[in-house]
Every structure is written in C-alpha cells, then in structure tokens.
Amino acid sequence: GRRRALCRRTKRVASWGGESTLSEGRGPRETAHVRPGRRIRRGHAPRTVRTHRRAAHSCVACAGGSASESPPSPTAVGSAMASVQQYLSVLAGAQSGANADAQRAAAQMQIELKNGDPRNAINLCMQLIARGQPLEARHFGYGVLQHVVTRRWSQFTQHERQELAKLVYDKLSECGTVPTSETPEPFMIKSKAATLMAEVVRQEGAAMWSSIMPEMAAGACSDSPVRAELSALVMRYVAEDVAVYNSDIIGGRMKELLYGLTSTLPQALQAMYRLLEVHFSAAMNAAAGGNTPVAKAHAAAVSAALSAAAVYGEWAPLAPLMRSGVLDACCQLLSSGADISFRAQACEVLRHVAHRRRGDTVNSAIASGAAGVAGGKNGTSRSDPAALAAADADDAAREAAADAAAVVVGLEGMCRGLGIAAQRVLAAAPAGVGSEEAEYARRLTETVATVAANHVQVISDEGLRAAFLEALLGLTKHPRLDVLAAAIPAWPGLLRAMGAELPGTFVRPDKAIGSGVWGAQAQQRGGSAVRTAGGVENGASGGAAIGSNGFSLPGGAVAALLECARTWLQRGGGLASGLSTAGAPECKGDEWEDEYETRDELREAWIGLRARLMEVTKLCTALEPAAAAAAMAGSVTAVLGWVQPGGPLDPAKAAAMGPDGRSAVDDAIGSALEGCVSFVEPAMAAMPLSSATPAAAAPVAPALEGMLTRMLSVEFSSPVAVSQMSRLLESMGRTALVRPDAGTALLHRLFAILSGLPTDDVKSPPARAKAAMTAGRTSQAARQRVCAAILGVCAAAPEVFNAHLEAFANQVDSLRSGGRLSGAERGALAEALLAVAGPSGPARVRDVLRWLLESVQRRWVPAPGVVSPDLVHLASLRELAKGEGAGGTQGLSDAHWELFHDVQLAERCLRRSAGDHDPGQQDGAHGGGGGG
C-alpha cells in the first residue's frame, strides 16, 4: 500500500506530452518517496484522428536508419539532419501556448514515432537527445525512446538489443562526464537517462544487470558527484521494479530480476555507503567554503543514494542491509543535525526498514542457532549420511542465527540514532504548521513508534531500551496533534506485552508464558515474572513493571504515560461535544484549530485520538490501578477547584447568553468537565472493583472516596455543566460494587439534579445529540443525560440497588405522575428499574414490567386482541397527513408523539428484559413436543 511511485509530483512540459512527464523541482531537497521521470508502464499513447500538417508528416517519413546498422551515408545523414531540424522547429513552436497548430503537430509526430518503425525512431531520437539540443527536444526524444524500449523491445533482434543497450549506456556515461567548465546536465535529463537504462535492464533481465553492476558500483564510489548520482539513480530505478507491481513483469521474469538484484546486493549496498560517506562530507565542506554549485552537486548525489537505499530497504534481506553500514549512515545523518532534506530522506529509509518483519522471526533464528551450536559440540561422524544432514542443518541454523544477531545489532543502532534524533526534535521549538521540520517530526515519530511496536522486544540492552522508550514517551508529549497521532498507536501493544488485559476482553494466545514475540528472551532468562492483581510485580508502582513474558517497561513509565494521557485528554476537553474552549484552563482546542481547515475537521481528528488515549488509560490502569486512582483524584480536584467561588470558572461570572444560547463561561465549564470525564471514565472502567474480591480495591479506595465526596458536593445549574457532571457521576457507578453506600449516594444525587432541572419543554420531542450540540445544550438534553447516568449507575451494580427497588420505583412514579418526565426520560428510567430488578429473578422482572406497561396497555390495547379506537384513528392517512396542523412539532401531532413514546417504552422494556420467561414453562413447552 505504501508505494512511493504513487506519490510522484509531475507536470507536463507541453500539451503534446502524452505519457511523458517532467519532475517538479526535484533536487537534493527531495524526499525519498518521490520518483521523478518515471511514467506509468501501461498502454500505448492514444491514437488521434486529427489531421496534421504536411511538414510534420514529411519529416517523419524521411527519418531512416537503424541503430544496429553501419553509419549512414552522407546523403542519408543530410536527410536525417533535415528531419531533425524540422522536428526542432515544430517542438520550438509548440512551446508557445498560443500556437495550437504546432502543438497538434508535435503530438502527432510523437504518436507516429512511437507507432512507426522503431529503428527510425531510435535513429532520430538519438540526435534529438544529444547535448546541446533544446531541453524540450531532449525531453521529447527520451520520451519516445522510453516507449520504444518498453513496448517495442521484442521487435529487435538479439544483436540489435545489444547495440541499443550500448547506445543507452553511452548516453548515460555521457551525462556523467560533462566537463566542469560546462553547465551540468539538468536533473530532468539525468533522471531520464537513468530511467532509460533501468528500462533496458528490466527488458534484458538479470544478466544485463549483473554485467553493468560493476560499472554502477564504481560510478557510485567515484569522486564525481554527477557520476555517483547517475549510478545511484539507476540502482534505485531498477530496484523499484521489484518493489512496484508491474503487470508486464511478473512470474518468472520478476523472479529472475529479483535474483539478479539479490546476487549483486553486497556490491550495491557497499557502493551506497561509500557514496554517502564521500559525498556528504564533500557537500558539507563545499557549503562551508561557500562553493554553492559544488555543494549542490554533492548533495544531489547523497539524495539519490538515500532514495535508492529507501527502495532497497523495502525488500532487501535485513542481515546484509544491517551489515552494509547504510543504516548506520542514516542514523548518523539523523543524529548529527544535518540539513532537513538529508534528515527527512534518512528517516524515510529507516521507516521502510522498521515496517519489516517482527522480532519473533529473529528470536526463532537465535534459538535455533543456539541449539545448533549445542548439538555441534557432541561431535558427529562424517561418514554417517544422517549425521552429515544434521550437520548441514546445524550450519544453516548457525548461519540464520548469525544473520539474526546482525539484525539485532542493526536494530540497536537504529534505536540509538532515532533516540538521539528524537531528543533533538524535543529540544527544539515546535515547528510551524506545514513546514518541512513539522513533517520531519511527524515522520520521525512514526518511525520511532514502528520500531517500538515491532522490534524493541529484541533489544537486550535494558538501558538502551529504556532510553528509546523514554524518547517515544517524549514524542507522545509533543504539543502537535499529528505527532501524537503518530506516537500513540505503539503504546497499546507495549502495554499488552506487559500483560495488561481488561476485564471481560479476549486474552490473546500469545500472551501465555514462554510464547509470542518475546518468548525466546523470556525462556533464556529462565522464567518470567509473576504479576499481582494490579499487574505489577510485588505491587510496586514505582519500579519497572514486568509482563508475563519477561518484557518490562522502565520504572515509572506507566505512571508517566498515565499523566501524559490525562494531560492530552484535558487539553482536548470540549472538542468532542462541540463546545467553545475559550477561557477553559488547559484546553487547547482554539490553538489546535490552526492546524486544520475547519473546526469540524479538528473535532473528527480529535475523536479518533481520544479513543486511542482512553484505550491507553485503560491499559495503564489495569497495570497500575493505584497510580491511576491518584491521577484521577488529582484531575477531579483540579477541575472542581476551577469552578469554586473565585476560581477561573466561577459560575457567578457567567455573562449574558450569546447568539447560540450559551454563555462562554458555561461552555468553558463544560469543556473542563469533559476533559476530566474523558480520563476518569476509562480509568474507572479498568479499576479492579468487584464485590467478590473487595480486598483488591483496598489500595485505591481512599482516592476513590475522596473523589466521590468532592463530586457530590458540587452544584451546577447550567445544562452544559449538568450534562458533563452527570457523566462524571455515572463513571463512579462501579464504586457501588465495593461501597454500597456510595451507590445509593450517587443515585440520590442524580435524582436531586433531575428534580432541579426546568421542565418547561418536557412535552417537546426528544432532543437529538447533533441538534443539542449545534443549537445549545437545552434543559431537555440535560435531563436526558441525567436519566442515562441513572441507568448507567444501576447497570454497573444492579445487586446493590435491588434492595432499594421499591423506593426507586416510587421516586420514578412521583416524577412521572408530576409530569416532570418526557417520554425518552421515562424510557431510560424504566430500563434502570429493570436492570435493578434483574438479580431478583424472572418473577420480579415481570412485576416491574407489568407496573411499567400497565397504563400503556390500558390505553392502546384495553383487552386481549382488542385495539383501541384511538390507535386506529391515529393510524389513518387523514390524521397522519395533518402533521403539525392539529398541534405538535416536527411533523407529528401531540397524540402521535404520545403513541411514539409509549411504543418506545415498550421496546426498551422488552429489550432490557430480554424476553424473560419462566424456565419451567419453557421446559414444559419443549417437553410437550412444541406447539404455539
């Protein structure tokens, strides 16, 4: 999916261009994923039925000669030169956008050259691409030659192919031997020449590549920057034929080319390393001496080598890649503070390697190699065929182990280089939005996160691993959202490797002791740690946490990650609900808006990031619940302190309502509370709270009790604040599992909040979430949110509230009879009653259902099988067509809305009761042979 060839930025040199394209601003500052001068290798140029000028037709007709024949006679040369002059004249005229006739003639000339005699086309285009010709003519000629080599190669004899390959190679050499006194070739021509050479190799296969590889390696190692650049470009373009899918080079031809590339891999990698070593130093020295042209030439060579290394990093075997030193050179570029173009391309090379195979393959190779060494010590008889086969297998295992060890060493070097580069990014001021430094920081973070997720497990040096993960944590704290988006995906896998699993979730088989990615290291250590219920060995939250497979995070890493997640979630408060974050302490929504085109785009991006952060919070809580409880207590204390009298969010400071129906202070309070809720909800969901094991909650109980006390003492009146506060109280519902009195206190507080809200819109249709967000938080939306919180608290600990079912039902009945509940609110509280009645058994559930639905049944179905006339009347087309004419809103009359709410209540009751029935009746029905 990550194809660099698809990221190409090109532009047409003129309207006749057909398939040919020009690179856009390619030079030493280009990143590795851009491949200039390459065109899509599918199909021929479309034929045209347009008439063309007689001169264009005649100049094509008189072009003759063959690339494989002897030099033409003087008369033929004169005729060919005349044809070249006519072509040059037409192409020069086509450069003017106003000369449509010349452009049509040029397009027709190109079509006829591509589809005519390929030998004539080669003879003419070799003259068009000669040095000294206009740039547009050379571009035209290279485009036709590339088409001929790609599409017409099979029409040449073997001798002609060899001659044409020699001509192409000579042109490539000519580009690299321009005298220093003359103007160097533009990059477009160098790229076209290298592309043409790569096309010839692609057609001829591995034999051609093996024959020219010594020259390419020598060119890359030379002191000439132009020659080195051309050699690197050819190596890159040939290797891209393996990395990029081509419909016309598959099967045996692809295997043959891959074999040729693999067999010459040591030469290619050593040449790349030598090029980087020589020309980077030369570029730096030339730049320091003020010789800008020479510095640019050497920088272009370095850029070409890094681009080639990025392609090889996608498919080349890791062991020779690690041994070559190319990755070490890239790490050196990253950590040395080189120019941004070099650092960006070096990071791209490492990013491709980081996405390669995972550490379990390396572990298995190391383990098999160790076994082979142990078996070899026993000695074998060289005359025994079975012993010889076993010895060969041992040799292969030892070779695989040596390759794996080289990969591990290379990965350790990558971790060092990336860690230093990350520290440099963190030490510098945040780059501007859209700048090259900002994009580099994001790509670097993505590379660091990928290495951490895929390969950090094979790093045996605990100090190096700790430093690398500390760098990843630092990048996770970077103030840019795009950097956070690149860093956060690595943490869930690392935390699960520690053994963090949430209650009720699927436990992966590879988390068993001695298996999975880290199994080899755990077995070599002679065992694995034993975790406590909190997930940390010996319950020490400040020490290094040890997973069930031997992998560990540095001491204090989980607590630091928890604080990082809390900070981010608090900064994003208010975005998910569409609230204004102006004036809310720590909320950064207004600052982040500059990074996105619209507020909605920012909100959409933040919702995805928030889900990741909440997942990390859950996993961290599963590992260290005491640290999570302390972090929650600190967050609640800080946010509720802001709304105290005299605080920055004192509700008394609320000004008049704005045009959207909300006060700025109310929105700021809602934003601050939402940030707190986003952290408390996932942490409470993962807390070890269970009525079966209350002792496990002892370490976190003091912090939870203090939080609950502060929450219950806060009073809010605005719908925005009430909605968020009810979510915060709902998140504490699981405390009732270990403190039943806390559950009853929560319910009493929620009912008190519900009773205190205005009921002037209780007869209105239900408020939809999107409408409430855009039109302002209404009292109705707040009441619905409070009722949903009551349902959440009851569902979290139904056994606790079962003893208070009667009082609960009486309170609901009081609100309903007093007309203080809308239809949607009544349905939510009905679900809460059924959730509480569930532990008492089916009989109690049926009693609650009868109590809830008796009035509905009397109104619409007064007797079994008898439908109320009112229902028939409302279902008639005449009544439905009246809509709001008979009183009502949103296209329905009040009577229709009452019917809607009653049907909704019945649906919610049946869904919550799950069709509860008497087990004895069910058995009897089955035993009776069916029926009904």
Side-chain angles (χ1 to χ4, degrees):
R2 299 179 300 275
R3 299 282 14 107
R4 293 187 304 277
L6 299 180
C7 301
R8 195 176 306 133
R9 298 171 300 171
T10 54
K11 64 179 181 180
R12 296 196 178 280
V13 84
S15 60
W16 79 79
E19 296 173 312
S20 301
T21 53
L22 254 180
S23 175
E24 191 175 74
R26 232 341 254 277
R29 298 180 63 82
E30 179 191 296
T31 55
H33 65 277
V34 181
R35 182 181 181 185
R38 295 287 274 180
R39 60 180 177 78
I40 301 174
R41 303 189 185 101
R42 289 190 177 91
H44 296 275
R47 293 184 178 273
T48 179
V49 295
R50 297 189 183 99
T51 59
H52 57 279
R53 301 198 324 187
R54 187 178 304 275
H57 178 76
S58 61
C59 71
V60 174
C62 63
S66 173
S68 61
E69 297 173 356
S70 58
S73 64
T75 304
V77 171
S79 176
M81 287 304 296
S83 300
V84 170
Q85 291 303 322
Q86 293 180 32
Y87 270 88
L88 293 176
S89 176
V90 173
L91 292 173
Q95 291 302 299
S96 174
N99 196 341
D101 291 339
Q103 291 178 0
R104 285 192 293 270
Q108 186 62 32
M109 288 192 307
Q110 187 184 56
I111 293 173
E112 293 194 0
L113 279 175
K114 288 181 177 180
N115 298 333
D117 187 349
R119 296 165 183 82
N120 292 343
I122 291 172
N123 183 47
L124 179 67
C125 290
M126 281 297 175
Q127 300 176 63
L128 288 176
I129 66 176
R131 181 172 173 80
Q133 298 287 15
L135 184 61
E136 61 271 13
R138 303 180 73 186
H139 179 271
F140 179 93
Y142 272 114
V144 174
L145 286 174
Q146 190 173 339
H147 175 88
V148 169
V149 171
T150 304
R151 304 298 181 188
R152 313 288 295 277
W153 190 258
S154 59
Q155 299 178 18
F156 294 103
T157 64
Q158 183 61 35
H159 178 69
E160 288 175 330
R161 293 177 185 178
Q162 294 175 359
E163 289 295 320
L164 180 55
K166 184 178 182 303
L167 283 174
V168 172
Y169 183 81
D170 290 342
K171 281 296 179 184
L172 182 72
S173 302
E174 180 184 322
C175 289
T177 56
V178 176
T180 56
S181 59
E182 299 182 16
T183 304
E185 294 281 16
F187 179 79
M188 185 202 73
I189 298 301
K190 292 186 288 187
S191 176
K192 286 288 186 181
T195 300
L196 188 59
M197 188 72 250
E199 291 289 354
V200 172
V201 172
R202 177 170 169 268
Q203 296 297 327
E204 284 294 278
M208 171 65 71
W209 178 243
S210 299
S211 65
I212 69 170
M213 186 62 215
E215 293 296 330
M216 294 294 104
C221 296
S222 68
D223 294 333
S224 169
V226 178
R227 187 182 175 194
E229 180 187 8
L230 284 168
S231 299
L233 287 175
V234 173
M235 288 191 285
R236 170 190 170 184
Y237 294 158
V238 173
E240 271 189 346
D241 286 326
V242 174
V244 180
Y245 173 78
N246 296 299
S247 59
D248 55 344
I249 179 172
I250 57 177
R253 291 183 61 195
M254 176 64 76
K255 291 180 180 179
E256 180 191 2
L257 182 58
L258 180 61
Y259 171 77
L261 287 166
T262 305
S263 62
T264 59
L265 189 62
Q267 293 173 272
L269 294 176
Q270 291 172 10
M272 290 180 203
Y273 177 77
R274 176 63 179 169
L275 190 158
L276 293 172
E277 183 181 37
V278 171
H279 292 280
F280 177 73
S281 300
M284 294 298 100
N285 294 335
N291 194 343
T292 304
V294 175
K296 286 184 177 181
H298 288 289
V302 173
S303 176
L306 291 173
S307 300
V311 176
Y312 275 83
E314 289 190 65
W315 61 265
L318 283 180
L321 192 63
M322 297 293 186
R323 292 190 181 106
S324 66
V326 172
L327 299 185
D328 294 335
C330 293
C331 292
Q332 182 64 26
L333 289 174
L334 287 179
S335 57
S336 64
D339 184 76
I340 179 62
S341 60
F342 294 149
R343 284 185 282 125
Q345 289 185 280
C347 182
E348 190 73 7
V349 176
L350 299 182
R351 188 177 70 88
H352 286 296
V353 175
H355 281 286
R356 299 288 295 277
R357 62 183 180 184
R358 296 178 61 88
D360 48 358
T361 306
V362 176
N363 284 340
S364 62
I366 293 176
S368 62
V373 172
K377 293 180 179 179
N378 298 328
T380 57
S381 173
R382 307 306 294 178
S383 60
D384 186 359
L388 290 175
D392 291 339
D394 291 344
D395 291 340
R398 281 191 290 270
E399 183 179 355
D403 288 346
V407 172
V408 172
V409 172
L411 291 172
E412 290 177 346
M414 286 177 59
C415 288
R416 291 189 186 92
L418 290 170
I420 296 174
Q423 295 300 330
R424 284 183 173 273
V425 169
L426 295 172
V433 178
S435 64
E436 289 183 327
E437 287 288 351
E439 177 64 16
Y440 166 71
R442 186 189 68 81
R443 284 299 183 101
L444 176 67
T445 304
E446 180 186 350
T447 304
V448 172
T450 305
V451 172
N454 290 353
H455 303 292
V456 76
Q457 66 274 10
V458 302
I459 307 302
S460 58
D461 187 344
E462 296 291 342
L464 175 59
R465 185 163 58 189
F468 182 73
L469 293 176
E470 183 179 356
L472 176 60
L473 180 61
L475 291 171
T476 309
K477 298 178 182 179
H478 194 277
R480 293 288 302 278
L481 280 182
D482 54 352
V483 175
L484 171 66
I488 200 66
W491 288 110
L494 293 173
L495 293 169
R496 286 191 172 95
M498 300 269 301
E501 289 292 346
L502 303 178
T505 58
F506 174 71
V507 179
R508 295 165 180 76
D510 64 353
K511 295 299 183 288
I513 296 177
S515 66
V517 175
W518 295 273
Q521 282 88 346
Q523 293 174 1
Q524 290 175 2
R525 293 187 184 102
S528 59
V530 179
R531 296 187 302 112
T532 63
V536 182
E537 185 178 349
N538 299 330
S541 62
I546 308 296
S548 60
N549 45 30
F551 176 74
S552 65
L553 288 176
V558 176
L561 190 57
L562 266 171
E563 178 60 24
C564 178
R566 185 207 67 78
T567 301
W568 275 111
L569 290 170
Q570 190 63 54
R571 289 175 179 174
L575 286 178
S577 297
L579 300 173
S580 172
T581 60
E586 298 188 17
C587 293
K588 304 292 185 182
D590 291 343
E591 297 179 16
W592 294 342
E593 194 169 358
D594 296 337
E595 303 179 24
Y596 296 87
E597 294 184 1
T598 63
R599 186 83 172 191
D600 289 339
E601 184 181 348
L602 168 61
R603 177 176 174 270
E604 183 179 354
W606 170 249
I607 288 175
L609 287 174
R610 186 181 66 160
R612 289 278 191 159
L613 289 166
M614 293 173 77
E615 180 186 11
V616 169
T617 301
K618 288 181 181 180
L619 296 171
C620 289
T621 303
L623 288 175
E624 297 191 10
M632 283 193 298
S635 178
V636 170
T637 301
V639 173
L640 296 184
W642 295 339
V643 300
Q644 297 301 316
L649 299 179
D650 184 356
K653 299 178 181 179
M657 295 294 178
D660 59 351
R662 294 190 304 226
S663 167
V665 174
D666 289 343
D667 268 22
I669 294 174
S671 298
L673 287 173
E674 182 184 288
C676 182
V677 169
S678 299
F679 179 70
V680 173
E681 273 186 353
M684 283 299 302
M687 276 287 165
L689 303 175
S690 173
S691 57
T693 57
V700 301
L704 298 183
E705 291 175 2
M707 289 168 53
L708 187 58
T709 302
R710 296 184 187 91
M711 292 180 192
L712 295 175
S713 63
V714 178
E715 295 279 353
F716 290 110
S717 58
S718 70
V720 176
V722 167
S723 297
Q724 297 299 331
M725 193 63 202
S726 63
R727 289 182 58 196
L728 194 58
L729 292 171
E730 179 187 359
S731 66
M732 300 297 294
R734 295 187 68 238
T735 57
L737 294 172
V738 293
R739 286 287 305 275
D741 56 332
T744 55
L746 280 171
L747 269 189
H748 286 313
R749 180 69 187 124
L750 287 170
F751 272 111
I753 294 174
L754 182 61
S755 301
L757 288 171
T759 59
D760 52 340
D761 55 354
V762 72
K763 296 296 185 180
S764 302
R768 302 303 178 187
K770 185 176 181 180
M773 186 185 307
T774 56
R777 293 290 185 184
T778 62
S779 298
Q780 186 189 47
R783 286 199 312 273
Q784 289 181 202
R785 180 61 255 179
V786 174
C787 291
I790 293 174
L791 172 59
V793 170
C794 292
E799 300 88 352
V800 174
F801 303 108
N802 187 258
H804 309 282
L805 181 60
E806 296 295 339
F808 187 10
N810 292 333
Q811 202 160 7
V812 173
D813 187 59
S814 174
L815 291 170
R816 182 178 63 176
S817 59
R820 302 186 62 83
L821 290 179
S822 67
E825 297 156 20
R826 182 182 56 165
L829 294 180
E831 279 199 65
L833 283 170
L834 289 170
V836 172
S840 298
R844 190 67 175 273
V845 171
R846 282 196 295 271
D847 290 340
V848 175
L849 281 173
R850 187 179 301 109
W851 179 75
L852 290 170
L853 298 178
E854 187 175 11
S855 61
V856 176
Q857 181 183 11
R858 282 199 307 266
R859 179 172 184 182
W860 304 110
V861 188
V866 178
V867 179
S868 170
D870 293 341
L871 180 60
V872 177
H873 175 68
L874 291 174
S876 65
L877 293 177
R878 178 177 300 177
E879 289 299 315
L880 290 172
K882 289 181 180 180
E884 301 177 14
T889 55
Q890 297 186 15
L892 292 177
S893 65
D894 291 338
H896 282 101
W897 277 116
E898 291 177 6
L899 174 61
F900 167 80
H901 288 308
D902 284 346
V903 172
Q904 188 182 55
L905 173 65
E907 185 270 335
R908 296 182 74 162
C909 289
L910 292 175
R911 184 181 62 210
R912 173 62 65 171
S913 63
D916 214 349
H917 53 267
D918 190 339
Q921 292 180 357
Q922 182 186 32
D923 294 342
H926 286 291

